[in-house]
Every structure is written in C-alpha cells, then in structure tokens.
Amino acid sequence: SRDRLLSTMSSSSPAAVAPAVTATQSQSFPVNDLVPREETQALSFVQKFPHCNGRGITIGILDTGVDPGASGLYNQLDGTTPKLLHVIDCTGSGDVSVETEKKATKRRTKEDDEMWQVEGLSGKKLTLPGDWDLQDFPKKAVTTEETKVEDKKEEDKKDEKTEGDKKETSDETKEEDKSAVITTTKAPIRLGILRAYDLFPKKLVNRIKEHRAEELQKALRPLVATVRQQLSEFKIISKPTSEQVLQRQDLEERLKVLQKKNDDPGT
C-alpha cells in the first residue's frame, strides 16, 4: 500500500523484556500499559520459553507511520544491534524528479582535496564529495530514426571537439576561484528541485503565506501612497501634453501592479 511504511526489523538479543519500573515511574506515567504484556500473556510465554524470543528472525512490518529517527528504534537491548535494517517510504511524499542531466566537474584544491561541482537547477553551485563514483547512465533504447539523428550529432561533436574543449576549458578557468585547480574529469549527474512548500504541512504553508503577505503589504504601502500622490497631481492639469498622458498611464499601470494580489510561489 502507498499509504504505509515498510520497515524491516531483526532480533538477535535475549528476550525483549522491559526493565523493572520503579514505584515513582509507575505513579508518574503508566509505562506498563503502553505494551500490555501481561494481558496478552507475552511475558509469561517468554518466561516459560526463554529461547523462543525471535532471535535471528527478520520480519517485515507495514505501518501507517514510523519515525526511523526515534531513539527507541536505534538499537536492541544489547546496545549495538540495530532494530531497523531497512525502511522504505511508500507514500511518495517528498519524492523529487531527477530527470535533468548535467555534467559535474571534479576539482582539486591546493590541499589536494577533491570535489565535484555542478550548477544546480536553482542557479546555485553544488559541491559534492570527491570520492563519489559518478558514471555514465545507461542509454535508453532508441528507434532507427533516433539512431540516425544521434549518429549525426556524434559526427558534428567530433568535428568541433578539439575547438570546443579548448574554449570550454578557457572559459571555466577564468570564472573559477584561483585557490583551486580545475581538472579535466567530468561525469554526468541528474538533478532535481523541489519547493519547500511541497514538503511543509498545509497548515504551516498557510501560516507562512499569511506572514509573507503581511510583510509584502508593509513594503508596498509606501510605494502605493507615492504613486497615488503622483496621480493626484495630474488631476489638476486641465490640458496635459502627450508626454504627461503617457506618464499618467504609466503610473496607473504601476498602481495596478502594486495592488494586484500575488500568489506566493514559495521558496
């Protein structure tokens, strides 16, 4: 089901019996009621059959919501064996389409640190670890006509390869920081971008939009007042010139833009 999380868990520790709860703890919060071991007779079963504790068994759980970062799901009672072996989010929430392919360039700094750099879809430069093994993506199946087109493109690329490589290297060298040396290593990488609004809960998005709208109106009020004052000055002119008519029309359009309700696209 898409609405559920699949988490895989294993057990290799002795019987998962909760430690004894002190009188103070039991009075402050009913810890024992969280897992009804006595009502389900799970506690008595483990006491009778201590070896039947699920040791070495891996199970899969479909759940409507699991937080893999919860402290209680880190390790088993031995403190080292992880409880969660693998988690798959089947909801599709937060998925990002990475269909845009770009070339990443490997750089080496004066400290001999390697890194990949590529321009992101937002225009910002992204820096990736230099030990990433970036390789060519598998080519998709193409038809005969598409093959002919690709072959023609390859031929054109070969003819311009030498001149193009020299020009590209020269342009990049001028733009890059002098503290690092550009290498000729390049590799493909696929990028995607997602607005923060697509990740935030709806109520949070509404609150942010309201706050941003208020801040925008505060910034626009002085501008609106200025344009209105300028328009009022034109009203006393009985016979405006053609240039003054154009100025008044320009101010009217400015006022429309300033008063227009803008849809907040988010960031």
Side-chain angles (χ1 to χ4, degrees):
S1 172
R2 296 184 69 255
D3 299 331
R4 297 176 178 272
L5 284 174
L6 174 62
S7 57
T8 309
M9 306 177 65
S10 72
S11 174
S12 61
S13 61
V17 180
V21 181
T22 63
T24 304
Q25 290 175 329
S26 61
Q27 292 176 0
S28 60
F29 190 82
V31 179
N32 287 334
D33 293 339
L34 295 177
V35 181
R37 294 186 175 90
E38 294 185 2
E39 289 79 359
T40 59
Q41 300 183 8
L43 184 59
S44 60
F45 178 85
V46 174
Q47 291 175 347
K48 291 180 180 178
F49 308 99
H51 297 292
C52 299
N53 55 14
R55 181 179 301 177
I57 303 299
T58 302
I59 61 175
I61 301 176
L62 284 172
D63 201 308
T64 55
V66 172
D67 181 8
S71 59
L73 295 178
Y74 285 166
N75 296 317
Q76 299 182 31
L77 294 180
D78 58 8
T80 57
T81 306
K83 288 185 177 181
L84 292 175
L85 299 181
H86 191 48
V87 177
I88 301 176
D89 186 349
C90 303
T91 64
S93 176
D95 288 354
V96 182
S97 175
V98 286
E99 297 180 352
T100 303
E101 185 171 325
K102 287 194 173 185
K103 290 288 185 179
T105 304
K106 178 172 283 191
R107 295 162 47 87
R108 184 189 298 273
T109 64
K110 289 185 177 180
E111 293 78 15
D112 288 335
D113 294 331
E114 289 187 341
M115 66 187 75
W116 291 101
Q117 287 192 336
V118 62
E119 182 180 347
L121 300 183
S122 65
K124 295 183 179 180
K125 183 178 294 184
L126 305 178
T127 301
L128 310 174
D131 56 356
W132 281 17
D133 186 16
L134 302 182
Q135 300 180 2
D136 292 335
F137 296 103
K139 294 183 177 180
K140 65 177 183 179
V142 295
T143 62
T144 305
E145 293 299 326
E146 289 176 334
T147 304
K148 293 180 180 179
V149 174
E150 292 297 328
D151 292 342
K152 183 65 170 62
K153 290 181 179 180
E154 289 296 330
E155 292 178 2
D156 296 338
K157 288 181 180 178
K158 289 180 181 179
D159 295 338
E160 301 174 358
K161 186 177 188 308
T162 305
E163 182 179 355
D165 288 346
K166 290 181 180 179
K167 183 178 179 182
E168 185 178 0
T169 304
S170 175
D171 293 341
E172 287 184 352
T173 305
K174 293 179 182 179
E175 295 176 358
E176 294 296 339
D177 188 353
K178 295 181 180 180
S179 63
V181 179
I182 303 174
T183 67
T184 56
T185 305
K186 289 194 173 185
I189 188 170
R190 290 177 181 169
L191 304 175
I193 190 170
L194 193 67
R195 302 183 311 162
Y197 278 7
D198 295 328
L199 300 175
F200 294 160
K202 187 175 181 180
K203 292 183 178 180
L204 175 59
V205 172
N206 293 336
R207 291 202 305 270
I208 294 177
K209 285 187 175 182
E210 290 177 0
H211 174 72
R212 286 163 62 100
E214 291 176 1
E215 295 297 319
L216 179 62
Q217 290 303 317
K218 289 180 182 178
L220 293 180
R221 286 189 193 111
L223 301 177
V224 172
T226 301
V227 173
R228 284 178 172 172
Q229 181 180 358
Q230 294 174 348
L231 281 173
S232 64
E233 294 175 356
F234 280 98
K235 292 182 179 180
I236 62 176
I237 301 176
S238 58
K239 295 181 179 180
T241 64
S242 59
E243 183 178 353
Q244 290 174 332
V245 171
L246 292 176
Q247 291 178 353
R248 184 186 63 189
Q249 292 176 349
D250 180 63
L251 290 172
E252 290 174 347
E253 292 300 321
R254 289 187 187 183
L255 185 61
K256 289 180 181 179
V257 173
L258 291 173
Q259 294 180 327
K260 181 181 179 181
K261 184 178 181 181
N262 298 312
D263 182 27
D264 187 352
T267 55

